[in-house]
Amino acid sequence: EPPENARPFSVFPNPVGEDRAINIQLAEDGVQNVSLYDTYGNIMQTWNDVTFKRDRLTKLSLKNLMAGPYIIAIGDKKEFRAQLIIIQ
């Protein structure tokens, strides 16, 4: 069970389709770093200082990535949260 202070985020579509783009929605405003890891823990892509607005979608391109599972992590210097995504 997640801690009470965990702040969820939504990523869709998941699995990611042919357009190789995801939409991220956070429940709060803020500037966060977003990192995408392969299943071996290697950083595949990073977006620094992404501005999120509460309940608005933020679109990120994944065009240079091959099909497979990835971990997307969103956070700042204090905390981060992660979620599995699949690129088809």
Side-chain angles (χ1 to χ4, degrees):
E1 186 170 307
E4 288 181 29
N5 63 349
R7 297 179 303 178
F9 66 99
S10 299
V11 177
F12 50 91
N14 190 9
V16 180
E18 290 181 12
D19 68 345
R20 292 286 200 270
I22 56 172
N23 294 292
I24 300 174
Q25 185 175 26
L26 270 63
E28 74 280 345
D29 294 346
V31 176
Q32 304 281 310
N33 295 323
V34 180
S35 297
L36 195 71
Y37 298 86
D38 66 13
T39 55
Y40 298 104
N42 300 308
I43 294 179
M44 304 304 292
Q45 199 161 349
T46 300
W47 299 266
N48 292 316
D49 300 327
V50 178
T51 300
F52 290 95
K53 296 289 184 186
R54 180 182 23 219
D55 299 329
R56 283 225 177 123
L57 298 179
T58 300
K59 188 172 188 172
L60 299 177
S61 174
L62 307 175
K63 291 213 181 283
N64 297 323
L65 297 169
M66 296 175 51
Y70 295 88
I71 305 293
I72 188 161
I74 298 176
D76 55 26
K77 293 178 182 175
K78 297 178 198 168
E79 66 177 354
F80 77 95
R81 50 238 153 147
Q83 184 173 319
L84 177 70
I85 64 168
I86 305 293
I87 297 179
Q88 293 184 326

